[in-house]
């Protein structure tokens, strides 16, 4: 069906009755020149516009914005109503411009305040508006011509905007009833005609305007559905700038427009009559210009939430997105990655900043616009440029282009995490691809299985436990666990699947018995990481978490869980062997300390400061301690440790010890246990050993207590 929205046809009905000649009472200063005025000259009195003038100016501004942004397929029909209805233009595209409308309004002239108000009525214009909506536009005719067999599928919708001075709410209700009855009658006529179309949807917008300072006799009312064809809304607005603001707000609602304010536009100010401003006439100042365009230009802002949204400068009750002027550096035309281009229309078209900006762009220049940010790099999101005499707001892609290679996941998100399970995630995507599902499957209860529900269920099972980072998992880094991890996610298990899971668990038990190493990540930790028993404890806990996540899927999943729990509960003799192994390791570690607890405490402080000494210590410990476990092969025989009782203990320093003293004491203590002590040193007196005692005994020499020899 070829859809034409209500915005395709807009009919303006402006009241031309005598009461519209009344003043709006909003004064405009006419004599603005106050400098160099001759003495005795009386200034001109301020002027005020009539209700008719305010209505025409506001409706023309509505049409100007619509023509600027939608030069095609958005049509306006202008009707003036007094003693009869006068149609100023047609639905033809040639009549859709401001020049035609302004020329036609000039021939109408202002309303005659001395005319008989009883002969004038806004009803003539409303009836003519319904007749105009039933007429076929060129675009609708072209659509009907291409759909000869189903021409009735072309929709006919429209909008009637009526500007009048109503008397009361009952008067407004009478106007709505008139429009509803007229639509019903003309739809009957259109059903029997080949040149007319039935109205399928019509929006009636009644705007009651009254002078400034008077009380409104009509109440505002939001959109209300009067019938299946007609909806109506009522706006009570003061004349003057308030009416222009209301029409500006309505044009944004009717055509899905959005507002963008360009800030910090550098421009030389005009020469002012004030002496102070004349002194700075050659300097530049920054100005703001508000533009209207289609709201799709802000789609990226809405998605990301980066747009700086503030109140519109023109107080149009609509929010505006603020973009900062980025001074162009060159006049050359550069190609930018653009995702959209939308026509723009200035809100205040007659202001000097708007005029300077449009002239600047129409001369072939381009302006880059950036998002205002308090910190961070500059983000250029939009560009203003002209094409064929029309100005467009271009939406630039602020993210990575689709033409570029995608970023590598190994680069990390913000440089924080880099060890993602990239290969496993690729396999995960292959296992969960969506494909056409042609065959009909049934569930166990006989109902038809919906493919989308089945896909969601499978994805939910596969993601119940799926760590994304390598350092956060142990079992998914082990090839031995793959048979269990690949089948435990199934909805149902076979007996063969249960056997494979049990074999996997038994293999892990055998690995623990053999004390095989595990792929434990030590990233972010100091030293050698957790001990072997702790590594297996972490592995068993993670494996139990994986199996427990699927324990409720079926009874066979429960059997796998029972097997895992049975293997984790070790027999008493196994626990005793483990305890003996741990005690032996603890005993060797205690023997390394050798009663030098104070030195070790100080040493622990110094080794944190010296990484080179820490590495040398680890090498020393590797040669000193041989890991022992209950089922490991017998360690090689160590040389017997000789307990030296007469060796003078290392004196404890009363003050702070140097790093050299700490290191020397530790090396000496460790080396003293690696070899059998020299017999002479063991039998020495005051650390002095006498040499060649057997020769002296043969010669009859005596050993003196202080170690000196003498003849008898």
């Amino acid at each position: 069906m070829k859809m034409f929205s209500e915005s395709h046809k807009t009919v303006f009905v402006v009241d031309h009755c005598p009461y519209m000649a009344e003043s709006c009472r909003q004064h405009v200063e006419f004599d603005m020149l106050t400098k160099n005025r001759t003495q005795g000259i009386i200034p001109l009195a301020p002027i005020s516009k009539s209700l008719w003038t305010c209505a025409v100016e506001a409706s023309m501004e509505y049409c100007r914005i619509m023509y600027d942004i939608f030069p095609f397929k958005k049509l306006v029909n202008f009707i003036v109503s007094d003693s009869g209805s006068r149609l100023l233009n047609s639905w033809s595209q040639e009549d859709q411009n401001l020049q035609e409308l302004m020329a036609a309004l000039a021939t109408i002239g202002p309303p005659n305040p001395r005319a008989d108000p009883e002969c004038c009525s806004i009803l003539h214009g409303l009836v003519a508006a319904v007749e105009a909506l039933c007429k076929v536009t060129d675009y609708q005719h072209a659509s009907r011509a291409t759909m000869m067999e189903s021409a009735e599928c072309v929709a006919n919708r429209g909008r009637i905007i009526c500007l009048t001075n109503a008397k009361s709410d009952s008067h407004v209700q009478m106007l709505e009833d008139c429009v509803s009855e007229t639509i019903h009658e003309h739809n009957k006529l259109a059903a029997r005609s080949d040149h007319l179309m039935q109205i399928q949807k019509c929006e009636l917008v009644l705007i009651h305007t009254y002078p400034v300072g008077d009380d409104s006799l009509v109440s505002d009312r939001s959109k209300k559905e009067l019938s299946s064809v007609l909806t109506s809304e009522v706006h009570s607005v003061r004349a003057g700038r308030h009416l222009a603001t209301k029409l500006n707000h309505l044009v944004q609602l009717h055509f899905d427009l959005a507002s963008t304010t360009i800030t910090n536009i550098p421009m030389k100010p005009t020469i002012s009559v004030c002496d102070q401003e004349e002194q700075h006439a050659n300097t530049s100042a920054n100005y703001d210009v508000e533009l209207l365009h289609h709201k799709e230009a802000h789609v990226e802002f809405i998605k990301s939430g980066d747009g700086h949204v503030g109140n519109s400068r023109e107080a149009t009750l609509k929010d505006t997105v603020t973009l900062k002027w980025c001074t162009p550096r060159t006049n050359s035309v550069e190609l930018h990655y653009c995702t959209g281009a939308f026509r723009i229309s200035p809100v205040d078209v007659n202001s000097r900043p708007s005029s300077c900006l449009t002239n600047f762009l129409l001369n072939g220049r381009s302006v880059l616009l950036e998002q205002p940010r308090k910190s961070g790099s500059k983000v250029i999101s939009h560009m203003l440029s002209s094409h064929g005499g029309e100005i467009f707001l271009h939406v630039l892609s602020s993210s990575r282009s689709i033409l570029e290679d995608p970023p590598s996941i190994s680069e990390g998100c913000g440089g924080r995490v880099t060890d993602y399970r990239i290969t496993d995630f690729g396999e995960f995507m292959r296992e969960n691809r969506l494909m056409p599902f042609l065959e009909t499957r049934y569930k166990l209860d006989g109902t038809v299985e919906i493919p989308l529900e089945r896909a969601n269920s499978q994805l939910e099972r596969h993601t119940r436990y799926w760590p994304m980072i390598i350092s956060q998992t142990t079992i998914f880094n082990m090839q031995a666990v793959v048979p269990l991890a690949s089948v435990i996610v199934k909805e149902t298990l076979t007996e063969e699947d249960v056997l494979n899971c049990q074999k996997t668990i038994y293999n892990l038990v055998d690995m623990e018995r053999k004390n095989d190493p595990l792929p434990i990540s030590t990233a972010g930790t100091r030293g050698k990481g957790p001990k072997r028993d702790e590594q297996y404890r972490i592995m068993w806990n993670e494996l139990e978490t994986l199996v427990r996540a699927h324990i409720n899927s079926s009874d066979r999943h429960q059997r796998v869980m029972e097997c895992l729990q049975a293997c984790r509960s070790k027999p008493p003799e196994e626990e005793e062997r483990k305890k003996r192994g741990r005690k032996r390791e603890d005993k060797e570690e205690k023997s390394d300390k050798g009663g030098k607890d104070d030195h070790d405490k100080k040493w622990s402080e110094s080794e944190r400061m010296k990484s080179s000494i820490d590495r040398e210590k680890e090498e020393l410990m590797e040669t000193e301690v041989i890991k022992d476990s209950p089922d490991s092969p017998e360690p090689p025989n160590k040389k017997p440790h000789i307990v030296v009782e007469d060796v003078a203990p290392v004196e404890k320093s009363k003050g702070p010890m140097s790093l050299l003293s700490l290191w020397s004491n530790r090396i000496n203590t460790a080396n003293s246990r690696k070899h059998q002590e020299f017999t002479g040193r063991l039998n020495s007196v005051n650390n002095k050993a006498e040499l060649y005692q057997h020769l002296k005994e043969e010669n009859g020499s005596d050993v003196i207590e202080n170690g000196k020899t003498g003849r008898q």
Side-chain angles (χ1 to χ4, degrees), residues 306-317:
D306 293 336
H308 181 270
V309 180
N311 294 328
S312 174
R313 183 173 56 88
E314 296 295 332
T316 56
L317 306 179

Side-chain angles (χ1 to χ4, degrees), residues 20-25 48-56 110-111 239-240:
M20 293 295 290
E22 184 181 355
S23 172
C24 72
R25 301 175 191 170
S48 61
K49 303 176 183 178
S50 63
L51 296 180
W52 161 260
T53 303
C54 294
V56 170

Side-chain angles (χ1 to χ4, degrees), residues 504-518:
T504 302
I505 297 173
Y506 296 150
N507 291 336
L508 295 176
V509 173
D510 188 60
M511 289 176 58
E512 184 180 15
R513 186 181 63 83
K514 295 179 179 179
N515 210 21
D516 291 342
L518 295 179

Side-chain angles (χ1 to χ4, degrees), residues 43-231:
L44 299 175
I47 61 175
S48 61
K49 303 176 183 178
S50 63
L51 296 180
W52 161 260
T53 303
C54 294
V56 170
E57 288 182 350
S59 58
M60 286 297 100
E61 185 67 10
Y62 183 103
C63 296
R64 180 193 67 81
I65 295 174
M66 188 201 71
Y67 287 146
D68 285 348
I69 301 177
F70 302 100
F72 307 103
K73 295 186 178 181
K74 305 296 183 184
L75 310 178
V76 170
N77 217 322
F78 214 91
I79 298 175
V80 174
S81 178
D82 42 25
S83 59
S85 62
R86 282 178 279 184
L87 190 64
L88 302 187
N89 65 337
S90 65
W91 293 124
S92 176
Q93 187 65 48
E94 290 77 12
D95 293 342
Q96 299 300 315
N97 56 77
L98 287 179
Q99 290 75 17
E100 291 287 338
L101 292 177
M102 296 295 287
L105 286 169
T107 60
I108 296 296
N112 185 7
R114 291 180 295 274
D116 186 6
E118 298 296 333
C119 299
C120 301
S121 176
I122 193 64
L123 294 176
H124 303 298
L126 293 176
V127 173
V130 175
E131 293 177 357
L133 289 180
C134 291
K135 296 179 181 179
V136 182
T137 65
D138 294 339
Y139 297 104
Q140 289 176 328
H141 178 71
S143 299
R144 295 176 71 182
T146 57
M147 304 171 63
M148 293 297 297
E149 298 180 357
S150 57
E152 67 278 358
C153 294
V154 179
N156 184 31
R157 302 178 179 182
R159 181 182 290 112
I160 299 175
I161 302 177
C162 178
L163 287 86
T164 183
N165 181 267
K167 298 177 182 179
S168 61
D169 290 336
S170 59
H171 184 203
V172 171
Q173 186 176 359
M174 183 267 294
L175 298 178
E176 294 173 343
D177 295 339
C178 176
V179 174
S180 180
E181 293 175 2
T182 306
I183 292 176
H184 181 69
E185 294 175 359
H186 281 76
N187 278 346
K188 291 181 179 180
L189 296 175
R192 299 190 297 267
S193 174
D194 295 334
H195 304 287
L196 300 176
M197 295 182 65
Q198 291 182 328
I199 300 176
Q200 297 173 345
K201 196 70 177 178
C202 177
E203 288 186 6
L204 177 61
V205 181
L206 289 172
I207 301 177
H208 165 67
T209 179
Y210 58 95
V212 176
D214 289 358
D215 295 332
S216 176
L217 303 177
V218 178
S219 304
D220 286 348
R221 194 189 66 214
S222 59
K223 185 178 293 186
K224 177 183 178 182
E225 185 174 351
L226 302 180
S227 66
S228 60
V229 179
L230 181 63
T231 60

Side-chain angles (χ1 to χ4, degrees), residues 534-591:
E534 181 66 18
Q535 294 178 9
Y536 274 96
R537 188 187 65 80
I538 296 173
M539 184 272 294
W540 286 117
N541 289 339
E542 185 180 5
L543 184 63
E544 184 175 348
T545 302
L546 173 63
V547 177
R548 192 177 294 278
H550 303 272
I551 191 175
N552 297 325
S553 299
S554 67
D555 294 338
R556 291 190 174 96
H557 288 82
Q558 179 66 33
R559 289 171 53 187
V560 176
M561 185 66 190
E562 293 173 355
C563 177
L564 176 61
Q565 292 177 341
C567 293
R568 289 202 66 179
S569 58
K570 302 172 184 178
E573 56 272 13
E574 182 71 17
E575 289 294 331
E576 187 64 27
R577 296 176 64 185
K578 285 289 182 182
K579 288 181 181 180
R580 290 200 302 268
R582 285 193 293 268
K583 287 181 179 180
R584 186 179 302 176
E585 290 183 2
D586 296 341
K587 185 176 181 180
E588 291 183 359
E589 291 179 359
K590 289 180 180 180
S591 64

Side-chain angles (χ1 to χ4, degrees), residues 435-443 447-455:
M435 303 181 175
F437 194 78
L438 303 178
E439 299 179 359
T440 303
R441 293 188 180 183
Y442 296 91
K443 298 181 181 179
T447 59
V448 179
E449 185 179 34
I450 301 176
L452 182 59
E453 294 180 356
R454 181 167 177 259

